[in-house]
Amino acid sequence: MNRWGVHRYEAGWLGYPTTDEIVHTDGVGRRQEFQRGAIYVAFVNAIGSAIPNGPIRDKWNSLGGHTGWLGYLTSDELAIGTTKYHDFIGGRIYDTAFADPEAVTHIQNALTTVDNDKCNYVALQAGNCYTNNSFEGALDDMSECLYPETRDPTDKNWSDDTVIAIIKSPSKSEPELALTCGVYRDHIVRKHNADEDPENFLACTGLVYNFGFSVNAETGNLAKGWDNNESHVRSTVAWLNAGLPREKLLTSFAGPYVDLTNQRGDDWGGCAKGYIEDRPRP
């Protein structure tokens, strides 16, 4: 009732209810259908979220709806320019003017364990670290990786192998990618200028890994490429071929890249154009 009121009851875009409240069999949530959409309420989102009927809801339903990997809604419809999107427990669905709606998982920030042990790649593989959904937190860790004087000494025991971000794929057949401080600082920043546009670098890497197609990696590791249909920028990510459940991200670059004497592959804004603006939260 409260969420319906936020949207002006029957005078708003939802219109009149067309069902009673429907209790879901998962024991977690419920919904009510309206003329032009629905309101979902779950224990994780007690205030409720409204979603209109249309492309985003159709995409969500095609991925299993509230029982799929995205889970329940955590926002009403939001917009960046002409791009519309909804947030869910497990990620976000974008509806752009130039492509069908697509789903992206949350980029996760790696946090230390409760006893303040360091969360490095080895510990992560062993299951001794936990993660938290936080794009901003990952950006903070990326900054602290580059600028040691800004670090909270009680936060992490820093090393080259300290994990500063995790990128997840919707497919359970594919691994999580762990970005370590050493790879970010000594390769992606030095060779691809990721420090000049960290928000779009992180967003771009998530977009490519989620939407991309497999490409050959000269090193024998695994890689994906992706073309942004609006900006026509092709981007690539590559990672260590070590197997599930997690891999170490080795490189990410956006736009043409041949070698250090040619273009540097740092068109991060071009990679994310149409999906991301300003400070994104994929």
Side-chain angles (χ1 to χ4, degrees):
M1 177 67 82
N2 288 336
R3 181 54 49 179
W4 188 34
V6 167
H7 295 291
R8 300 178 54 239
Y9 300 109
E10 68 275 10
W13 63 267
L14 281 162
Y16 283 96
T18 58
T19 68
D20 292 340
E21 188 177 84
I22 300 168
V23 179
H24 294 160
T25 57
D26 58 11
V28 174
R30 56 194 68 205
R31 78 181 190 277
Q32 187 153 11
E33 297 288 338
F34 294 79
Q35 289 174 297
R36 290 180 288 277
I39 293 174
Y40 283 77
V41 179
F43 296 146
V44 294
N45 183 29
I47 62 172
S49 296
I51 186 169
N53 297 328
I56 291 180
R57 191 178 186 190
D58 291 344
K59 179 67 174 181
W60 182 39
N61 286 335
S62 76
L63 296 171
H66 66 276
T67 63
W69 64 266
L70 281 162
Y72 279 96
L73 287 155
T74 59
S75 78
D76 289 349
E77 186 169 273
L78 304 168
I80 305 173
T82 59
T83 298
K84 298 177 181 179
Y85 63 94
H86 274 269
D87 282 324
F88 301 82
I89 295 172
R92 175 179 288 184
I93 295 179
Y94 288 96
D95 183 21
T96 71
F98 60 91
D100 293 333
E102 298 197 69
V104 187
T105 54
H106 287 304
I107 294 174
Q108 296 189 319
N109 175 42
L111 299 178
T112 57
T113 52
V114 292
D115 60 357
N116 201 37
D117 194 6
K118 59 187 175 183
C119 185
N120 60 33
Y121 184 64
V122 174
L124 187 67
Q125 289 284 65
N128 294 330
C129 304
Y130 65 88
T131 59
N132 177 46
N133 288 328
S134 172
F135 188 84
E136 296 294 333
L139 292 176
D140 288 344
D141 273 6
M142 288 157 56
S143 178
E144 291 185 16
C145 171
L146 296 182
Y147 308 108
E149 65 275 9
T150 67
R151 295 175 187 165
D152 180 349
T154 66
D155 182 29
K156 284 187 178 71
N157 296 320
W158 285 82
S159 70
D160 286 353
D161 243 8
T162 298
V163 179
I164 56 176
I166 293 175
I167 298 168
K168 289 191 173 186
S169 168
S171 171
K172 295 186 182 299
S173 65
E174 294 185 288
E176 299 173 356
L177 299 188
L179 174 62
T180 63
C181 180
V183 168
Y184 177 64
R185 181 192 62 227
D186 299 330
H187 176 80
I188 298 176
V189 165
R190 184 172 296 174
K191 292 188 177 180
H192 304 303
N193 295 341
D195 57 325
E196 295 182 7
D197 193 358
E199 294 90 352
N200 278 320
F201 152 70
L202 194 57
C204 173
T205 303
L207 288 166
V208 177
Y209 189 55
N210 278 272
F211 296 169
F213 48 85
S214 296
V215 297
N216 292 327
E218 295 177 1
T219 61
N221 291 298
L222 301 177
K224 282 187 177 181
W226 179 65
D227 293 300
N228 183 313
N229 293 332
E230 183 173 277
S231 63
H232 305 294
V233 169
R234 171 169 288 191
S235 308
T236 303
V237 299
W239 62 93
L240 186 70
N241 186 7
L244 298 170
R246 299 179 180 90
E247 312 278 28
K248 182 183 289 186
L249 180 68
L250 298 179
T251 190
S252 178
F253 50 90
Y257 175 75
V258 179
D259 54 43
L260 287 178
T261 64
N262 204 326
Q263 292 171 288
R264 297 174 63 94
D266 57 3
D267 187 3
W268 304 113
C271 170
K273 184 178 180 181
Y275 289 83
I276 307 296
E277 291 180 9
D278 300 319
R279 294 181 69 84
R281 293 189 65 243

